[in-house]
Short mmCIF file of all heavy atoms in Angstrom, two decimals:
data_model
loop_
_atom_site.label_atom_id
_atom_site.label_comp_id
_atom_site.label_asym_id
_atom_site.label_seq_id
_atom_site.Cartn_x
_atom_site.Cartn_y
_atom_site.Cartn_z
N LYS C 22 2.40 -5.12 -1.81
CA LYS C 22 3.36 -4.36 -0.95
C LYS C 22 2.79 -4.18 0.47
O LYS C 22 3.47 -4.43 1.46
CB LYS C 22 3.57 -2.96 -1.57
CG LYS C 22 4.23 -1.99 -0.64
CD LYS C 22 4.50 -0.62 -1.29
CE LYS C 22 3.34 0.38 -1.29
NZ LYS C 22 3.13 1.07 -0.01
N ASN C 23 1.55 -3.71 0.53
CA ASN C 23 1.01 -3.37 1.84
C ASN C 23 0.60 -4.55 2.71
O ASN C 23 0.23 -4.39 3.89
CB ASN C 23 -0.18 -2.36 1.71
CG ASN C 23 0.33 -1.01 1.25
OD1 ASN C 23 1.52 -0.76 1.27
ND2 ASN C 23 -0.58 -0.18 0.82
N ALA C 94 6.12 2.92 6.70
CA ALA C 94 5.69 1.58 7.20
C ALA C 94 6.69 1.01 8.19
O ALA C 94 6.38 0.02 8.82
CB ALA C 94 5.49 0.65 6.01
N ILE C 119 1.53 13.11 1.10
CA ILE C 119 0.07 13.04 0.92
C ILE C 119 -0.72 13.49 2.14
O ILE C 119 -1.92 13.59 2.09
CB ILE C 119 -0.36 11.60 0.51
CG1 ILE C 119 0.03 10.56 1.55
CG2 ILE C 119 0.19 11.26 -0.88
CD1 ILE C 119 -0.42 9.14 1.20
N ARG C 122 -0.39 12.38 8.49
CA ARG C 122 -0.22 10.97 8.87
C ARG C 122 0.39 10.76 10.27
O ARG C 122 1.48 10.18 10.40
CB ARG C 122 0.58 10.25 7.80
CG ARG C 122 -0.04 10.38 6.43
CD ARG C 122 0.72 9.61 5.39
NE ARG C 122 0.45 8.18 5.43
CZ ARG C 122 1.02 7.31 4.63
NH1 ARG C 122 1.89 7.71 3.72
NH2 ARG C 122 0.75 6.03 4.69
N PRO C 123 -0.31 11.24 11.30
CA PRO C 123 0.22 10.98 12.66
C PRO C 123 0.13 9.48 13.00
O PRO C 123 -0.55 8.74 12.31
CB PRO C 123 -0.70 11.81 13.57
CG PRO C 123 -1.94 12.02 12.77
CD PRO C 123 -1.54 11.94 11.31
N VAL C 124 0.78 9.14 14.15
CA VAL C 124 0.71 7.70 14.58
C VAL C 124 0.12 7.64 16.01
O VAL C 124 0.44 6.73 16.77
CB VAL C 124 2.08 7.00 14.51
CG1 VAL C 124 2.48 6.78 13.06
CG2 VAL C 124 3.15 7.77 15.23
N ASP C 125 -0.68 8.65 16.34
CA ASP C 125 -1.22 8.70 17.72
C ASP C 125 -2.05 7.47 18.09
O ASP C 125 -2.07 7.07 19.25
CB ASP C 125 -2.08 10.00 17.87
CG ASP C 125 -3.18 10.09 16.85
OD1 ASP C 125 -2.84 10.07 15.61
OD2 ASP C 125 -4.37 10.14 17.18
N GLN C 126 -2.73 6.83 17.10
CA GLN C 126 -3.53 5.70 17.43
C GLN C 126 -2.70 4.48 17.79
O GLN C 126 -3.07 3.66 18.60
CB GLN C 126 -4.48 5.34 16.27
CG GLN C 126 -5.47 6.42 15.93
CD GLN C 126 -6.35 6.82 17.11
OE1 GLN C 126 -7.00 5.97 17.73
NE2 GLN C 126 -6.33 8.09 17.48
N HIS C 127 -1.55 4.36 17.12
CA HIS C 127 -0.61 3.27 17.43
C HIS C 127 -0.17 3.44 18.90
O HIS C 127 -0.18 2.48 19.67
CB HIS C 127 0.63 3.30 16.55
CG HIS C 127 0.41 3.34 15.07
ND1 HIS C 127 1.05 2.46 14.21
CD2 HIS C 127 -0.36 4.11 14.29
CE1 HIS C 127 0.69 2.72 12.98
NE2 HIS C 127 -0.15 3.72 12.99
N MET C 161 -10.14 6.48 14.67
CA MET C 161 -10.42 6.41 13.21
C MET C 161 -9.88 5.13 12.71
O MET C 161 -9.15 4.42 13.37
CB MET C 161 -9.75 7.60 12.51
CG MET C 161 -8.34 7.52 12.18
SD MET C 161 -7.25 8.10 13.47
CE MET C 161 -7.78 9.77 13.63
N VAL C 162 -10.28 4.82 11.48
CA VAL C 162 -9.82 3.56 10.87
C VAL C 162 -8.41 3.78 10.39
O VAL C 162 -8.15 4.63 9.54
CB VAL C 162 -10.76 3.17 9.71
CG1 VAL C 162 -10.22 1.90 9.04
CG2 VAL C 162 -12.18 2.97 10.21
N THR C 163 -7.48 2.99 10.95
CA THR C 163 -6.07 3.07 10.49
C THR C 163 -5.56 1.67 10.18
O THR C 163 -5.65 0.77 11.00
CB THR C 163 -5.15 3.82 11.48
OG1 THR C 163 -3.81 3.34 11.32
CG2 THR C 163 -5.55 3.69 12.91
N VAL C 164 -4.99 1.55 8.98
CA VAL C 164 -4.53 0.24 8.50
C VAL C 164 -3.31 -0.22 9.28
O VAL C 164 -3.32 -1.25 9.98
CB VAL C 164 -4.23 0.29 6.97
CG1 VAL C 164 -3.72 -1.06 6.52
CG2 VAL C 164 -5.50 0.64 6.21
N THR C 165 -2.22 0.57 9.20
CA THR C 165 -1.02 0.13 9.94
C THR C 165 -1.23 0.21 11.45
O THR C 165 -0.63 -0.55 12.20
CB THR C 165 0.21 0.96 9.51
OG1 THR C 165 -0.12 2.32 9.59
CG2 THR C 165 0.67 0.60 8.13
N THR C 304 -8.39 4.91 -1.43
CA THR C 304 -7.64 6.17 -1.73
C THR C 304 -6.44 5.86 -2.66
O THR C 304 -6.04 6.70 -3.46
CB THR C 304 -7.09 6.81 -0.43
OG1 THR C 304 -6.26 7.93 -0.78
CG2 THR C 304 -6.33 5.87 0.47
N ASP C 305 -5.88 4.63 -2.57
CA ASP C 305 -4.73 4.28 -3.38
C ASP C 305 -5.08 4.11 -4.89
O ASP C 305 -4.21 3.87 -5.71
CB ASP C 305 -4.06 3.01 -2.87
CG ASP C 305 -3.41 3.20 -1.52
OD1 ASP C 305 -3.16 4.38 -1.16
OD2 ASP C 305 -3.11 2.21 -0.81
N ILE C 327 -9.51 10.35 2.87
CA ILE C 327 -8.54 9.65 3.76
C ILE C 327 -7.35 10.58 4.04
O ILE C 327 -6.97 10.75 5.17
CB ILE C 327 -8.05 8.33 3.15
CG1 ILE C 327 -9.22 7.43 2.79
CG2 ILE C 327 -7.04 7.64 4.06
CD1 ILE C 327 -9.98 6.85 3.98
N PHE C 328 -6.76 11.14 3.00
CA PHE C 328 -5.53 11.98 3.18
C PHE C 328 -5.84 13.40 2.73
O PHE C 328 -6.56 13.61 1.77
CB PHE C 328 -4.36 11.38 2.39
CG PHE C 328 -3.89 10.06 2.91
CD1 PHE C 328 -4.07 8.91 2.19
CD2 PHE C 328 -3.31 9.96 4.18
CE1 PHE C 328 -3.68 7.70 2.69
CE2 PHE C 328 -2.87 8.77 4.66
CZ PHE C 328 -3.05 7.61 3.94
N ARG C 331 -3.90 14.71 -1.09
CA ARG C 331 -3.61 13.64 -2.08
C ARG C 331 -4.12 14.04 -3.51
O ARG C 331 -4.56 13.17 -4.25
CB ARG C 331 -4.21 12.32 -1.65
CG ARG C 331 -3.29 11.19 -2.13
CD ARG C 331 -3.70 9.84 -1.67
NE ARG C 331 -2.53 8.91 -1.86
CZ ARG C 331 -2.56 7.63 -1.64
NH1 ARG C 331 -3.65 7.06 -1.20
NH2 ARG C 331 -1.47 6.93 -1.81
N LEU C 370 3.78 7.82 -4.62
CA LEU C 370 3.66 6.55 -5.37
C LEU C 370 2.44 6.47 -6.32
O LEU C 370 2.61 6.19 -7.48
CB LEU C 370 3.58 5.39 -4.28
CG LEU C 370 3.24 4.02 -4.78
CD1 LEU C 370 4.20 3.56 -5.84
CD2 LEU C 370 3.27 3.06 -3.59
N ARG C 371 1.24 6.71 -5.76
CA ARG C 371 0.10 6.54 -6.66
C ARG C 371 -0.01 7.68 -7.65
O ARG C 371 -0.56 7.51 -8.76
CB ARG C 371 -1.19 6.37 -5.82
CG ARG C 371 -1.10 5.26 -4.75
CD ARG C 371 -0.74 3.90 -5.31
NE ARG C 371 -0.40 2.98 -4.19
CZ ARG C 371 0.04 1.72 -4.39
NH1 ARG C 371 0.24 1.27 -5.61
NH2 ARG C 371 0.33 0.99 -3.36
N1 EPU P 501 -4.33 8.49 11.12
C1 EPU P 501 -4.26 9.25 12.28
N2 EPU P 501 -3.66 8.70 13.38
C2 EPU P 501 -3.05 7.50 13.36
C3 EPU P 501 -3.09 6.73 12.18
C4 EPU P 501 -3.73 7.28 11.08
O1 EPU P 501 -4.81 10.37 12.34
O2 EPU P 501 -2.51 7.06 14.41
C5 EPU P 501 -5.03 9.05 9.99
C6 EPU P 501 -4.08 9.29 8.78
O3 EPU P 501 -3.45 10.57 8.89
C7 EPU P 501 -5.02 9.18 7.61
C8 EPU P 501 -6.00 8.12 8.07
O4 EPU P 501 -5.91 8.07 9.48
O5 EPU P 501 -5.66 10.41 7.41
C9 EPU P 501 -5.77 6.76 7.53
O6 EPU P 501 -4.41 6.40 7.64
P1 EPU P 501 -3.87 4.92 7.81
O7 EPU P 501 -3.21 4.79 9.12
O8 EPU P 501 -4.99 3.96 7.51
O9 EPU P 501 -2.82 4.81 6.67
P2 EPU P 501 -1.47 4.00 6.79
O10 EPU P 501 -1.70 2.78 7.57
O11 EPU P 501 -0.32 4.91 7.13
C10 EPU P 501 -1.91 2.43 4.72
C11 EPU P 501 -1.21 2.14 3.44
C12 EPU P 501 -1.38 3.31 2.51
C13 EPU P 501 -2.86 3.55 2.27
C14 EPU P 501 -3.56 3.77 3.61
C15 EPU P 501 -5.05 3.91 3.49
C16 EPU P 501 0.54 0.68 4.18
C17 EPU P 501 2.00 0.41 4.37
N3 EPU P 501 0.20 1.87 3.72
O12 EPU P 501 -1.25 3.57 5.25
O13 EPU P 501 -0.72 2.97 1.29
O14 EPU P 501 -3.05 4.64 1.45
O15 EPU P 501 -3.26 2.66 4.50
O16 EPU P 501 -5.59 2.79 2.91
O17 EPU P 501 -0.26 -0.23 4.40
C18 EPU P 501 0.30 3.38 -0.77
O18 EPU P 501 0.46 2.14 -0.87
O19 EPU P 501 0.51 4.18 -1.70
C19 EPU P 501 -0.13 3.93 0.50
C20 EPU P 501 0.00 5.21 0.85
#
Side-chain angles (χ1 to χ4, degrees):
K22 165 179 86 78
N23 290 347
I119 59 177
R122 306 183 75 182
V124 290
D125 54 302
Q126 298 302 305
H127 306 231
M161 81 271 303
V162 176
T163 152
V164 176
T165 49
T304 175
D305 291 343
I327 305 290
F328 293 112
R331 214 175 196 184
L370 170 56
R371 307 305 168 185

